Amino acid sequence: MLNKEHLSEMKGIENGATIWGYKNAKLLREVQRFDSELLTIIDDLQELERIENKVYDGAKQLPYFGAILSEKGKEFLNEHIA
């Protein structure tokens, strides 16, 4: 079952986000395991660079992934947030 932290992370990616923090990445992977149709995760760094129009070559830190909430995820979020 998803808790308030998961719902908060889902809210944070409603319009898409690049995930830099370990805790954020862990929570979103747990959401993905709960129901993979709630969000889309972009693991491919080259695809993420293309979407963001940014190059991470030589960066000191790389993002874990990109993520965006799906329509099903938005509906789920609306049903579970008071």
mmCIF file of all heavy atoms in Angstrom, residues 9 18-30 64-65:
data_model
loop_
_atom_site.group_PDB
_atom_site.id
_atom_site.type_symbol
_atom_site.label_atom_id
_atom_site.label_comp_id
_atom_site.label_asym_id
_atom_site.label_seq_id
_atom_site.Cartn_x
_atom_site.Cartn_y
_atom_site.Cartn_z
ATOM 1 N N GLU A 9 5.377 12.272 -3.340
ATOM 2 C CA GLU A 9 6.305 12.125 -4.479
ATOM 3 C C GLU A 9 5.544 12.107 -5.796
ATOM 4 O O GLU A 9 5.988 12.699 -6.786
ATOM 5 C CB GLU A 9 7.144 10.848 -4.341
ATOM 6 C CG GLU A 9 8.213 10.916 -3.295
ATOM 7 C CD GLU A 9 9.218 12.032 -3.513
ATOM 8 O OE1 GLU A 9 9.618 12.286 -4.663
ATOM 9 O OE2 GLU A 9 9.597 12.659 -2.512
ATOM 10 N N THR A 18 12.919 15.647 -12.977
ATOM 11 C CA THR A 18 14.173 14.902 -12.971
ATOM 12 C C THR A 18 14.454 14.561 -11.512
ATOM 13 O O THR A 18 14.404 15.431 -10.652
ATOM 14 C CB THR A 18 15.317 15.751 -13.556
ATOM 15 O OG1 THR A 18 14.943 16.126 -14.886
ATOM 16 C CG2 THR A 18 16.617 14.969 -13.588
ATOM 17 N N ILE A 19 14.737 13.305 -11.258
ATOM 18 C CA ILE A 19 14.891 12.825 -9.886
ATOM 19 C C ILE A 19 16.372 12.747 -9.533
ATOM 20 O O ILE A 19 17.118 11.953 -10.100
ATOM 21 C CB ILE A 19 14.208 11.444 -9.699
ATOM 22 C CG1 ILE A 19 12.762 11.481 -10.222
ATOM 23 C CG2 ILE A 19 14.293 11.004 -8.253
ATOM 24 C CD1 ILE A 19 11.887 12.559 -9.619
ATOM 25 N N TRP A 20 16.760 13.573 -8.565
ATOM 26 C CA TRP A 20 18.146 13.664 -8.140
ATOM 27 C C TRP A 20 18.403 12.997 -6.799
ATOM 28 O O TRP A 20 19.511 12.575 -6.515
ATOM 29 C CB TRP A 20 18.563 15.132 -8.048
ATOM 30 C CG TRP A 20 18.587 15.806 -9.374
ATOM 31 C CD1 TRP A 20 17.573 16.477 -9.976
ATOM 32 C CD2 TRP A 20 19.676 15.847 -10.289
ATOM 33 N NE1 TRP A 20 17.958 16.948 -11.200
ATOM 34 C CE2 TRP A 20 19.261 16.577 -11.414
ATOM 35 C CE3 TRP A 20 20.977 15.345 -10.260
ATOM 36 C CZ2 TRP A 20 20.083 16.813 -12.502
ATOM 37 C CZ3 TRP A 20 21.799 15.594 -11.345
ATOM 38 C CH2 TRP A 20 21.351 16.312 -12.452
ATOM 39 N N GLY A 21 17.410 12.924 -5.946
ATOM 40 C CA GLY A 21 17.603 12.423 -4.592
ATOM 41 C C GLY A 21 17.326 10.939 -4.454
ATOM 42 O O GLY A 21 16.393 10.404 -5.066
ATOM 43 N N TYR A 22 18.127 10.277 -3.631
ATOM 44 C CA TYR A 22 17.976 8.840 -3.412
ATOM 45 C C TYR A 22 16.596 8.505 -2.840
ATOM 46 O O TYR A 22 15.932 7.585 -3.309
ATOM 47 C CB TYR A 22 19.078 8.326 -2.469
ATOM 48 C CG TYR A 22 18.850 6.892 -2.044
ATOM 49 C CD1 TYR A 22 19.130 5.849 -2.919
ATOM 50 C CD2 TYR A 22 18.323 6.590 -0.795
ATOM 51 C CE1 TYR A 22 18.890 4.543 -2.556
ATOM 52 C CE2 TYR A 22 18.081 5.280 -0.424
ATOM 53 C CZ TYR A 22 18.371 4.254 -1.299
ATOM 54 O OH TYR A 22 18.122 2.949 -0.947
ATOM 55 N N LYS A 23 16.173 9.254 -1.819
ATOM 56 C CA LYS A 23 14.884 8.962 -1.178
ATOM 57 C C LYS A 23 13.741 9.134 -2.170
ATOM 58 O O LYS A 23 12.831 8.304 -2.215
ATOM 59 C CB LYS A 23 14.676 9.864 0.035
ATOM 60 C CG LYS A 23 13.405 9.550 0.781
ATOM 61 C CD LYS A 23 13.252 10.381 2.024
ATOM 62 C CE LYS A 23 11.960 10.024 2.738
ATOM 63 N NZ LYS A 23 11.743 10.829 3.927
ATOM 64 N N ASN A 24 13.800 10.179 -2.988
ATOM 65 C CA ASN A 24 12.771 10.408 -4.002
ATOM 66 C C ASN A 24 12.727 9.242 -4.987
ATOM 67 O O ASN A 24 11.654 8.733 -5.326
ATOM 68 C CB ASN A 24 13.029 11.707 -4.765
ATOM 69 C CG ASN A 24 13.234 12.883 -3.865
ATOM 70 O OD1 ASN A 24 14.378 13.168 -3.513
ATOM 71 N ND2 ASN A 24 12.179 13.558 -3.473
ATOM 72 N N ALA A 25 13.906 8.825 -5.441
ATOM 73 C CA ALA A 25 14.000 7.719 -6.396
ATOM 74 C C ALA A 25 13.454 6.431 -5.785
ATOM 75 O O ALA A 25 12.710 5.687 -6.436
ATOM 76 C CB ALA A 25 15.449 7.532 -6.832
ATOM 77 N N LYS A 26 13.802 6.177 -4.533
ATOM 78 C CA LYS A 26 13.347 4.957 -3.844
ATOM 79 C C LYS A 26 11.821 4.943 -3.736
ATOM 80 O O LYS A 26 11.180 3.923 -4.044
ATOM 81 C CB LYS A 26 13.988 4.894 -2.462
ATOM 82 C CG LYS A 26 13.621 3.676 -1.654
ATOM 83 C CD LYS A 26 14.342 3.720 -0.301
ATOM 84 C CE LYS A 26 13.969 2.575 0.589
ATOM 85 N NZ LYS A 26 12.620 2.665 1.125
ATOM 86 N N LEU A 27 11.234 6.056 -3.328
ATOM 87 C CA LEU A 27 9.776 6.121 -3.185
ATOM 88 C C LEU A 27 9.073 5.938 -4.528
ATOM 89 O O LEU A 27 8.073 5.219 -4.621
ATOM 90 C CB LEU A 27 9.368 7.444 -2.538
ATOM 91 C CG LEU A 27 9.689 7.577 -1.056
ATOM 92 C CD1 LEU A 27 9.535 9.028 -0.597
ATOM 93 C CD2 LEU A 27 8.796 6.664 -0.221
ATOM 94 N N LEU A 28 9.604 6.547 -5.571
ATOM 95 C CA LEU A 28 8.969 6.413 -6.882
ATOM 96 C C LEU A 28 9.120 5.006 -7.444
ATOM 97 O O LEU A 28 8.209 4.498 -8.113
ATOM 98 C CB LEU A 28 9.521 7.460 -7.854
ATOM 99 C CG LEU A 28 9.079 8.886 -7.526
ATOM 100 C CD1 LEU A 28 9.828 9.892 -8.391
ATOM 101 C CD2 LEU A 28 7.574 9.050 -7.691
ATOM 102 N N ARG A 29 10.232 4.343 -7.169
ATOM 103 C CA ARG A 29 10.375 2.940 -7.586
ATOM 104 C C ARG A 29 9.370 2.054 -6.837
ATOM 105 O O ARG A 29 8.844 1.092 -7.396
ATOM 106 C CB ARG A 29 11.800 2.438 -7.359
ATOM 107 C CG ARG A 29 12.809 3.008 -8.314
ATOM 108 C CD ARG A 29 12.562 2.546 -9.728
ATOM 109 N NE ARG A 29 13.660 2.967 -10.595
ATOM 110 C CZ ARG A 29 13.670 2.792 -11.891
ATOM 111 N NH1 ARG A 29 12.662 2.218 -12.498
ATOM 112 N NH2 ARG A 29 14.694 3.199 -12.603
ATOM 113 N N GLU A 30 9.087 2.391 -5.582
ATOM 114 C CA GLU A 30 8.075 1.648 -4.822
ATOM 115 C C GLU A 30 6.691 1.860 -5.431
ATOM 116 O O GLU A 30 5.899 0.916 -5.517
ATOM 117 C CB GLU A 30 8.098 2.067 -3.351
ATOM 118 C CG GLU A 30 9.341 1.582 -2.628
ATOM 119 C CD GLU A 30 9.508 2.165 -1.228
ATOM 120 O OE1 GLU A 30 8.676 3.003 -0.802
ATOM 121 O OE2 GLU A 30 10.490 1.772 -0.560
ATOM 122 N N TYR A 64 18.968 10.165 -11.094
ATOM 123 C CA TYR A 64 18.580 8.754 -11.061
ATOM 124 C C TYR A 64 17.753 8.422 -12.301
ATOM 125 O O TYR A 64 17.968 7.409 -12.947
ATOM 126 C CB TYR A 64 17.773 8.440 -9.804
ATOM 127 C CG TYR A 64 18.642 8.326 -8.577
ATOM 128 C CD1 TYR A 64 18.844 9.423 -7.744
ATOM 129 C CD2 TYR A 64 19.275 7.132 -8.269
ATOM 130 C CE1 TYR A 64 19.652 9.317 -6.621
ATOM 131 C CE2 TYR A 64 20.077 7.024 -7.146
ATOM 132 C CZ TYR A 64 20.272 8.118 -6.335
ATOM 133 O OH TYR A 64 21.080 8.022 -5.229
ATOM 134 N N PHE A 65 16.775 9.282 -12.602
ATOM 135 C CA PHE A 65 15.905 9.086 -13.760
ATOM 136 C C PHE A 65 14.969 10.286 -13.873
ATOM 137 O O PHE A 65 14.938 11.153 -13.004
ATOM 138 C CB PHE A 65 15.098 7.782 -13.667
ATOM 139 C CG PHE A 65 14.382 7.560 -12.354
ATOM 140 C CD1 PHE A 65 13.176 8.197 -12.076
ATOM 141 C CD2 PHE A 65 14.907 6.712 -11.393
ATOM 142 C CE1 PHE A 65 12.519 7.994 -10.874
ATOM 143 C CE2 PHE A 65 14.260 6.493 -10.187
ATOM 144 C CZ PHE A 65 13.051 7.147 -9.924
#
